[in-house]
Amino acid sequence: MTVPNPFDLQPKDSEGLVFREPWEAQAFALAVSLHQSGLFAWDEWAAALAEEIKSAQQAGDPDLGNTYYTHWLRALEKMVARKAAVKGECIAERAEEWRDAYLQTPHGEAVELVRK
Amino acid sequence: MPHDGHDHTDPPDDLALRVKALESLLVEKGLVDPAALDVIIDTYENKVGPRNGAQVVARAWTDPKYKQLLLTDATAAIAELNYVGRQGEHMVCVENTKDVHNLVVCTLCSCYPWPVLGLPPSWYKSAPYRSRAVSDPRGVLKEFGTELDEDVEIRVWDSTSEVRYLVLPEKPDGAENMPEDALTNLVTRNSMIGVEKASAPGTGGAL
């Protein structure tokens, strides 16, 4: 059984995948895009990400590179909450709506969000 | 594709759902254009990538004037080949010689010259590399199969959000008369981070 990939552009390099999963690339692109449109400066982002990595390490994450985009996403969520008023609760709620959409979409069809 | 009779699509895992959620919220607010996201990923992965850096190095190997510019103002030299990007604005190029070997790291997080090297490999982002590149660079190099003579000085460059480093590897023996486009095949991403040397001609080379 295969899960259709909502994002099929898994980047590779000579050593294999640079992103382990498509969501990592998507999270990467979101931050670059928001920076490009002026929501935050790049060094502001670098500082937020470094802070997130630091607190994860203090909480016991061995930080071997495989959790990098988890930190990236967490930092991005906080940044967006501050700068664009998109709150964590909204993201969690929307994530559940997406989950329902997947579950209600016949396999092989495009998954679309149907707002209630 | 038919599978075990359930008329649904398996949802991705939680982190992937969160990214999807975040993206759709930002799209609704007009802060993000989904097409722009695809362009960004395509650019960093297919068009940018280590090939851009390889071209910069190959040009420097064949054109002394360009090399001079690269070593004095890498940002301008890289822009001259039309590789500009928001993460590579301030670039510094450091030259490997028979006496000096340069190694790039970002101890703080994983600052990386994306426009010339693409996306960072996962070892570059790992805590062991970030700390050991500084404390034991010779040991790190050995793990990449790079053995240097004892009298070769190793210089470690710690990237910041303002300054990114690119290593100009030594031109390998036997490559003296090769044209620029053939030379790019000898320039691996790892040689531009400094964990390896450029490939010798006839060994397969980059990618």
Side-chain angles (χ1 to χ4, degrees):
Chain A
M1 135 179 121
T2 53
V3 180
N5 224 329
F7 191 81
D8 228 353
L9 260 179
Q10 283 188 291
K12 288 173 187 159
D13 69 8
S14 56
E15 298 189 338
L17 292 176
V18 177
F19 296 113
R20 294 170 317 133
E21 295 178 36
W23 71 262
E24 297 187 343
Q26 206 72 9
F28 164 79
L30 275 174
V32 173
S33 177
L34 290 170
H35 160 66
Q36 281 176 342
S37 59
L39 194 67
F40 46 78
W42 196 256
D43 50 1
E44 196 177 0
W45 169 245
L49 181 60
E51 186 57 39
E52 196 61 46
I53 290 173
K54 202 174 103 197
S55 57
Q57 284 179 332
Q58 282 164 354
D61 178 24
D63 194 20
L64 301 173
N66 55 343
T67 49
Y68 180 78
Y69 282 101
T70 312
H71 308 324
W72 179 289
L73 177 58
R74 198 154 295 147
L76 185 60
E77 288 180 351
K78 286 181 189 165
M79 185 72 98
V80 162
R82 274 207 309 279
K83 301 272 184 171
V86 175
K87 294 199 188 70
E89 306 92 89
C90 301
I91 300 171
E93 190 187 321
R94 178 60 62 89
E96 288 314 308
E97 290 171 8
W98 272 112
R99 191 191 306 280
D100 290 344
Y102 274 85
L103 292 171
Q104 287 162 20
T105 302
H107 196 79
E109 288 180 20
V111 179
E112 277 170 26
L113 199 59
V114 184
R115 306 307 309 277
K116 288 165 202 152
Chain B
M1 197 178 300
H3 76 121
D4 65 20
H6 297 290
D7 205 11
H8 73 268
T9 304
D10 290 320
D13 72 19
D14 291 350
L15 288 168
L17 282 174
R18 277 191 94 89
V19 174
K20 254 187 122 46
L22 185 57
E23 184 187 334
S24 60
L25 288 165
L26 291 167
V27 168
E28 282 167 19
K29 279 183 171 268
L31 290 167
V32 156
D33 171 8
L37 297 180
D38 288 359
V39 169
I40 288 166
I41 291 166
D42 189 58
T43 301
Y44 278 105
E45 219 25 53
N46 300 318
K47 298 197 192 98
V48 177
R51 308 313 302 149
N52 290 356
Q55 213 132 44
V56 168
V57 169
R59 174 69 55 87
W61 279 348
T62 49
D63 179 345
K65 263 203 183 131
Y66 185 78
K67 178 177 167 182
Q68 190 57 36
L69 178 63
L70 183 64
L71 293 174
T72 49
D73 185 353
T75 311
I78 290 165
E80 203 166 277
L81 297 186
N82 288 324
Y83 304 139
V84 274
R86 50 224 64 87
Q87 278 81 54
E89 268 115 16
H90 195 71
M91 294 287 306
V92 170
C93 182
V94 288
E95 183 186 15
N96 284 353
T97 65
K98 63 182 177 46
D99 303 314
V100 176
H101 186 94
N102 296 286
L103 179 65
V104 178
V105 66
C106 174
T107 55
L108 181 67
C109 44
S110 54
C111 296
Y112 191 75
W114 280 315
V116 279
L117 292 187
L119 291 160
S122 64
W123 55 260
Y124 184 86
K125 297 177 291 189
S126 73
Y129 177 75
R130 301 205 312 264
S131 57
R132 289 193 50 235
V134 176
S135 64
D136 179 23
R138 215 168 273 274
V140 168
L141 288 172
K142 209 169 271 177
E143 280 161 30
F144 279 91
T146 307
E147 302 263 2
L148 297 177
D149 291 340
E150 278 306 312
D151 55 355
V152 173
E153 179 195 348
I154 299 178
R155 292 184 191 156
V156 179
W157 301 87
D158 193 356
S159 312
T160 67
S161 59
E162 286 89 36
V163 183
R164 306 296 160 88
Y165 297 94
L166 177 74
V167 174
L168 175 59
E170 274 184 285
K171 193 174 181 179
D173 293 336
E176 292 76 12
N177 299 317
M178 289 171 71
E180 187 178 322
D181 59 340
L183 286 171
T184 60
N185 292 324
L186 308 179
V187 187
T188 61
R189 181 199 58 204
N190 285 0
S191 72
M192 294 181 279
I193 299 175
V195 290
E196 289 170 6
K197 297 188 172 200
S199 306
T203 54
L207 302 190

